[in-house]
Amino acid sequence: MRLFGKKERPHPLADMPVWIVPLDVRAGTEQLPTPLIGAYVQVFCRGDDPSTAAWAAIQAIEAMGYSVPEGPTTVNQMPAADYDMFVSSHWPEQRAAMPSQAEFYESMADYRTVFGPFGGYDTPSSSA
């Protein structure tokens, strides 16, 4: 919002690169809800490179008691300022349950991961 002709400044982390790490999650020490055998999730995190970001995302999943049997085959990147637009375009029906743009900046400033919605499945994929 502009008041009295002042130009709105972007958030200091707006241009910061954020990694989007897609993971296939399985039960570990923590079980998945019945009848699920796995779930897909996109994890947003900071990292110096795709490998560091993937490691951070996997560590966050494992800290929850789940396992990641295989590392991601691709890792994408976006500016932190694009988070709200990304969530609104990918998961519009779950927007209210996701962190706000301000909460996302706070998490990224503290090097915390942010999870997208978990999409569970109850049958093995045809490639498994």
PDB file of all heavy atoms in Angstrom, residues 20 42 44 78 82-95 98:
ATOM      1  N   ILE A  20      12.680 -25.653  -4.126  1.00  0.00           N
ATOM      2  CA  ILE A  20      11.454 -26.450  -4.010  1.00  0.00           C
ATOM      3  C   ILE A  20      11.863 -27.897  -4.286  1.00  0.00           C
ATOM      4  O   ILE A  20      12.254 -28.244  -5.397  1.00  0.00           O
ATOM      5  CB  ILE A  20      10.386 -25.998  -5.025  1.00  0.00           C
ATOM      6  CG1 ILE A  20      10.152 -24.496  -4.912  1.00  0.00           C
ATOM      7  CG2 ILE A  20       9.094 -26.781  -4.813  1.00  0.00           C
ATOM      8  CD1 ILE A  20       9.381 -23.922  -6.087  1.00  0.00           C
ATOM      9  N   GLN A  42       6.045 -31.258  -1.524  1.00  0.00           N
ATOM     10  CA  GLN A  42       7.069 -30.319  -1.969  1.00  0.00           C
ATOM     11  C   GLN A  42       7.535 -29.558  -0.737  1.00  0.00           C
ATOM     12  O   GLN A  42       6.723 -29.033   0.021  1.00  0.00           O
ATOM     13  CB  GLN A  42       6.516 -29.379  -3.029  1.00  0.00           C
ATOM     14  CG  GLN A  42       6.179 -30.135  -4.307  1.00  0.00           C
ATOM     15  CD  GLN A  42       5.986 -29.224  -5.474  1.00  0.00           C
ATOM     16  OE1 GLN A  42       6.809 -28.361  -5.749  1.00  0.00           O
ATOM     17  NE2 GLN A  42       4.880 -29.414  -6.183  1.00  0.00           N
ATOM     18  N   PHE A  44       9.892 -26.502   0.754  1.00  0.00           N
ATOM     19  CA  PHE A  44      10.556 -25.236   0.450  1.00  0.00           C
ATOM     20  C   PHE A  44      11.673 -25.031   1.465  1.00  0.00           C
ATOM     21  O   PHE A  44      11.437 -25.145   2.672  1.00  0.00           O
ATOM     22  CB  PHE A  44       9.571 -24.068   0.567  1.00  0.00           C
ATOM     23  CG  PHE A  44       8.391 -24.157  -0.359  1.00  0.00           C
ATOM     24  CD1 PHE A  44       7.261 -24.870   0.008  1.00  0.00           C
ATOM     25  CD2 PHE A  44       8.411 -23.534  -1.590  1.00  0.00           C
ATOM     26  CE1 PHE A  44       6.165 -24.954  -0.832  1.00  0.00           C
ATOM     27  CE2 PHE A  44       7.315 -23.612  -2.443  1.00  0.00           C
ATOM     28  CZ  PHE A  44       6.192 -24.323  -2.063  1.00  0.00           C
ATOM     29  N   MET A  78      13.003 -20.715  -6.931  1.00  0.00           N
ATOM     30  CA  MET A  78      12.195 -19.525  -7.194  1.00  0.00           C
ATOM     31  C   MET A  78      12.631 -18.433  -6.217  1.00  0.00           C
ATOM     32  O   MET A  78      13.205 -18.730  -5.165  1.00  0.00           O
ATOM     33  CB  MET A  78      10.704 -19.822  -7.026  1.00  0.00           C
ATOM     34  CG  MET A  78      10.298 -20.051  -5.604  1.00  0.00           C
ATOM     35  SD  MET A  78       8.500 -20.273  -5.452  1.00  0.00           S
ATOM     36  CE  MET A  78       8.374 -20.279  -3.666  1.00  0.00           C
ATOM     37  N   ASP A  82       7.913 -15.127  -4.593  1.00  0.00           N
ATOM     38  CA  ASP A  82       6.932 -15.841  -5.413  1.00  0.00           C
ATOM     39  C   ASP A  82       6.148 -16.893  -4.645  1.00  0.00           C
ATOM     40  O   ASP A  82       5.268 -17.554  -5.209  1.00  0.00           O
ATOM     41  CB  ASP A  82       7.623 -16.507  -6.608  1.00  0.00           C
ATOM     42  CG  ASP A  82       8.095 -15.510  -7.637  1.00  0.00           C
ATOM     43  OD1 ASP A  82       7.795 -14.297  -7.491  1.00  0.00           O
ATOM     44  OD2 ASP A  82       8.774 -15.925  -8.594  1.00  0.00           O
ATOM     45  N   TYR A  83       6.452 -17.082  -3.356  1.00  0.00           N
ATOM     46  CA  TYR A  83       5.814 -18.143  -2.573  1.00  0.00           C
ATOM     47  C   TYR A  83       4.285 -18.051  -2.610  1.00  0.00           C
ATOM     48  O   TYR A  83       3.612 -19.028  -2.920  1.00  0.00           O
ATOM     49  CB  TYR A  83       6.312 -18.107  -1.132  1.00  0.00           C
ATOM     50  CG  TYR A  83       5.506 -18.977  -0.200  1.00  0.00           C
ATOM     51  CD1 TYR A  83       5.699 -20.350  -0.159  1.00  0.00           C
ATOM     52  CD2 TYR A  83       4.536 -18.425   0.637  1.00  0.00           C
ATOM     53  CE1 TYR A  83       4.947 -21.153   0.682  1.00  0.00           C
ATOM     54  CE2 TYR A  83       3.790 -19.226   1.484  1.00  0.00           C
ATOM     55  CZ  TYR A  83       4.000 -20.582   1.508  1.00  0.00           C
ATOM     56  OH  TYR A  83       3.251 -21.368   2.337  1.00  0.00           O
ATOM     57  N   ASP A  84       3.737 -16.902  -2.278  1.00  0.00           N
ATOM     58  CA  ASP A  84       2.280 -16.770  -2.204  1.00  0.00           C
ATOM     59  C   ASP A  84       1.620 -17.079  -3.551  1.00  0.00           C
ATOM     60  O   ASP A  84       0.617 -17.780  -3.610  1.00  0.00           O
ATOM     61  CB  ASP A  84       1.894 -15.380  -1.712  1.00  0.00           C
ATOM     62  CG  ASP A  84       0.441 -15.329  -1.270  1.00  0.00           C
ATOM     63  OD1 ASP A  84       0.057 -16.154  -0.428  1.00  0.00           O
ATOM     64  OD2 ASP A  84      -0.296 -14.464  -1.774  1.00  0.00           O
ATOM     65  N   MET A  85       2.221 -16.588  -4.623  1.00  0.00           N
ATOM     66  CA  MET A  85       1.691 -16.852  -5.960  1.00  0.00           C
ATOM     67  C   MET A  85       1.797 -18.348  -6.285  1.00  0.00           C
ATOM     68  O   MET A  85       0.874 -18.928  -6.852  1.00  0.00           O
ATOM     69  CB  MET A  85       2.454 -16.029  -7.001  1.00  0.00           C
ATOM     70  CG  MET A  85       1.947 -16.193  -8.403  1.00  0.00           C
ATOM     71  SD  MET A  85       2.798 -15.133  -9.594  1.00  0.00           S
ATOM     72  CE  MET A  85       4.487 -15.675  -9.413  1.00  0.00           C
ATOM     73  N   PHE A  86       2.898 -18.979  -5.915  1.00  0.00           N
ATOM     74  CA  PHE A  86       3.086 -20.410  -6.143  1.00  0.00           C
ATOM     75  C   PHE A  86       2.006 -21.216  -5.431  1.00  0.00           C
ATOM     76  O   PHE A  86       1.363 -22.075  -6.023  1.00  0.00           O
ATOM     77  CB  PHE A  86       4.482 -20.830  -5.662  1.00  0.00           C
ATOM     78  CG  PHE A  86       4.817 -22.266  -5.947  1.00  0.00           C
ATOM     79  CD1 PHE A  86       5.491 -22.613  -7.102  1.00  0.00           C
ATOM     80  CD2 PHE A  86       4.466 -23.273  -5.061  1.00  0.00           C
ATOM     81  CE1 PHE A  86       5.804 -23.953  -7.375  1.00  0.00           C
ATOM     82  CE2 PHE A  86       4.769 -24.601  -5.313  1.00  0.00           C
ATOM     83  CZ  PHE A  86       5.444 -24.941  -6.477  1.00  0.00           C
ATOM     84  N   VAL A  87       1.811 -20.933  -4.149  1.00  0.00           N
ATOM     85  CA  VAL A  87       0.807 -21.659  -3.357  1.00  0.00           C
ATOM     86  C   VAL A  87      -0.593 -21.432  -3.929  1.00  0.00           C
ATOM     87  O   VAL A  87      -1.365 -22.374  -4.087  1.00  0.00           O
ATOM     88  CB  VAL A  87       0.875 -21.249  -1.871  1.00  0.00           C
ATOM     89  CG1 VAL A  87      -0.307 -21.796  -1.087  1.00  0.00           C
ATOM     90  CG2 VAL A  87       2.182 -21.720  -1.251  1.00  0.00           C
ATOM     91  N   SER A  88      -0.906 -20.188  -4.242  1.00  0.00           N
ATOM     92  CA  SER A  88      -2.244 -19.870  -4.769  1.00  0.00           C
ATOM     93  C   SER A  88      -2.521 -20.554  -6.099  1.00  0.00           C
ATOM     94  O   SER A  88      -3.653 -20.949  -6.376  1.00  0.00           O
ATOM     95  CB  SER A  88      -2.402 -18.360  -4.922  1.00  0.00           C
ATOM     96  OG  SER A  88      -2.380 -17.750  -3.651  1.00  0.00           O
ATOM     97  N   SER A  89      -1.489 -20.731  -6.919  1.00  0.00           N
ATOM     98  CA  SER A  89      -1.704 -21.364  -8.219  1.00  0.00           C
ATOM     99  C   SER A  89      -1.673 -22.889  -8.138  1.00  0.00           C
ATOM    100  O   SER A  89      -2.351 -23.559  -8.912  1.00  0.00           O
ATOM    101  CB  SER A  89      -0.682 -20.863  -9.245  1.00  0.00           C
ATOM    102  OG  SER A  89       0.616 -21.292  -8.899  1.00  0.00           O
ATOM    103  N   HIS A  90      -0.909 -23.464  -7.204  1.00  0.00           N
ATOM    104  CA  HIS A  90      -0.809 -24.922  -7.105  1.00  0.00           C
ATOM    105  C   HIS A  90      -1.836 -25.545  -6.154  1.00  0.00           C
ATOM    106  O   HIS A  90      -2.283 -26.667  -6.379  1.00  0.00           O
ATOM    107  CB  HIS A  90       0.594 -25.331  -6.666  1.00  0.00           C
ATOM    108  CG  HIS A  90       1.603 -25.210  -7.745  1.00  0.00           C
ATOM    109  ND1 HIS A  90       2.191 -24.023  -8.098  1.00  0.00           N
ATOM    110  CD2 HIS A  90       2.116 -26.135  -8.582  1.00  0.00           C
ATOM    111  CE1 HIS A  90       3.016 -24.221  -9.086  1.00  0.00           C
ATOM    112  NE2 HIS A  90       2.995 -25.499  -9.405  1.00  0.00           N
ATOM    113  N   TRP A  91      -2.157 -24.848  -5.073  1.00  0.00           N
ATOM    114  CA  TRP A  91      -3.055 -25.403  -4.057  1.00  0.00           C
ATOM    115  C   TRP A  91      -4.072 -24.353  -3.599  1.00  0.00           C
ATOM    116  O   TRP A  91      -4.161 -24.037  -2.410  1.00  0.00           O
ATOM    117  CB  TRP A  91      -2.257 -25.895  -2.846  1.00  0.00           C
ATOM    118  CG  TRP A  91      -1.123 -26.805  -3.217  1.00  0.00           C
ATOM    119  CD1 TRP A  91      -1.220 -28.023  -3.818  1.00  0.00           C
ATOM    120  CD2 TRP A  91       0.267 -26.561  -3.015  1.00  0.00           C
ATOM    121  NE1 TRP A  91       0.034 -28.559  -3.993  1.00  0.00           N
ATOM    122  CE2 TRP A  91       0.965 -27.679  -3.508  1.00  0.00           C
ATOM    123  CE3 TRP A  91       1.003 -25.504  -2.454  1.00  0.00           C
ATOM    124  CZ2 TRP A  91       2.354 -27.776  -3.470  1.00  0.00           C
ATOM    125  CZ3 TRP A  91       2.383 -25.605  -2.422  1.00  0.00           C
ATOM    126  CH2 TRP A  91       3.034 -26.731  -2.933  1.00  0.00           C
ATOM    127  N   PRO A  92      -4.873 -23.800  -4.507  1.00  0.00           N
ATOM    128  CA  PRO A  92      -5.792 -22.717  -4.126  1.00  0.00           C
ATOM    129  C   PRO A  92      -6.774 -23.122  -3.023  1.00  0.00           C
ATOM    130  O   PRO A  92      -7.095 -22.311  -2.159  1.00  0.00           O
ATOM    131  CB  PRO A  92      -6.518 -22.368  -5.421  1.00  0.00           C
ATOM    132  CG  PRO A  92      -6.319 -23.540  -6.323  1.00  0.00           C
ATOM    133  CD  PRO A  92      -5.022 -24.182  -5.904  1.00  0.00           C
ATOM    134  N   GLU A  93      -7.207 -24.384  -3.033  1.00  0.00           N
ATOM    135  CA  GLU A  93      -8.178 -24.832  -2.030  1.00  0.00           C
ATOM    136  C   GLU A  93      -7.547 -25.004  -0.651  1.00  0.00           C
ATOM    137  O   GLU A  93      -8.256 -25.104   0.346  1.00  0.00           O
ATOM    138  CB  GLU A  93      -8.856 -26.127  -2.479  1.00  0.00           C
ATOM    139  CG  GLU A  93      -7.950 -27.339  -2.561  1.00  0.00           C
ATOM    140  CD  GLU A  93      -7.007 -27.384  -3.773  1.00  0.00           C
ATOM    141  OE1 GLU A  93      -7.165 -26.588  -4.715  1.00  0.00           O
ATOM    142  OE2 GLU A  93      -6.091 -28.218  -3.750  1.00  0.00           O
ATOM    143  N   GLN A  94      -6.232 -25.021  -0.577  1.00  0.00           N
ATOM    144  CA  GLN A  94      -5.551 -25.189   0.708  1.00  0.00           C
ATOM    145  C   GLN A  94      -4.774 -23.939   1.125  1.00  0.00           C
ATOM    146  O   GLN A  94      -4.005 -23.969   2.072  1.00  0.00           O
ATOM    147  CB  GLN A  94      -4.627 -26.400   0.650  1.00  0.00           C
ATOM    148  CG  GLN A  94      -5.409 -27.662   0.404  1.00  0.00           C
ATOM    149  CD  GLN A  94      -4.589 -28.906   0.634  1.00  0.00           C
ATOM    150  OE1 GLN A  94      -3.563 -28.887   1.285  1.00  0.00           O
ATOM    151  NE2 GLN A  94      -5.060 -30.009   0.111  1.00  0.00           N
ATOM    152  N   ARG A  95      -4.985 -22.842   0.424  1.00  0.00           N
ATOM    153  CA  ARG A  95      -4.244 -21.605   0.689  1.00  0.00           C
ATOM    154  C   ARG A  95      -4.346 -21.173   2.149  1.00  0.00           C
ATOM    155  O   ARG A  95      -3.355 -20.786   2.762  1.00  0.00           O
ATOM    156  CB  ARG A  95      -4.749 -20.478  -0.222  1.00  0.00           C
ATOM    157  CG  ARG A  95      -4.074 -19.154   0.002  1.00  0.00           C
ATOM    158  CD  ARG A  95      -2.606 -19.268  -0.436  1.00  0.00           C
ATOM    159  NE  ARG A  95      -1.772 -18.250   0.137  1.00  0.00           N
ATOM    160  CZ  ARG A  95      -0.915 -18.438   1.152  1.00  0.00           C
ATOM    161  NH1 ARG A  95      -0.814 -19.593   1.760  1.00  0.00           N
ATOM    162  NH2 ARG A  95      -0.152 -17.461   1.563  1.00  0.00           N
ATOM    163  N   MET A  98      -1.960 -22.901   4.590  1.00  0.00           N
ATOM    164  CA  MET A  98      -0.524 -22.723   4.360  1.00  0.00           C
ATOM    165  C   MET A  98      -0.026 -21.446   5.033  1.00  0.00           C
ATOM    166  O   MET A  98      -0.803 -20.524   5.286  1.00  0.00           O
ATOM    167  CB  MET A  98      -0.264 -22.647   2.849  1.00  0.00           C
ATOM    168  CG  MET A  98      -0.667 -23.893   2.079  1.00  0.00           C
ATOM    169  SD  MET A  98       0.381 -25.304   2.430  1.00  0.00           S
ATOM    170  CE  MET A  98       1.917 -24.726   1.752  1.00  0.00           C
TER     171      MET A  98
END
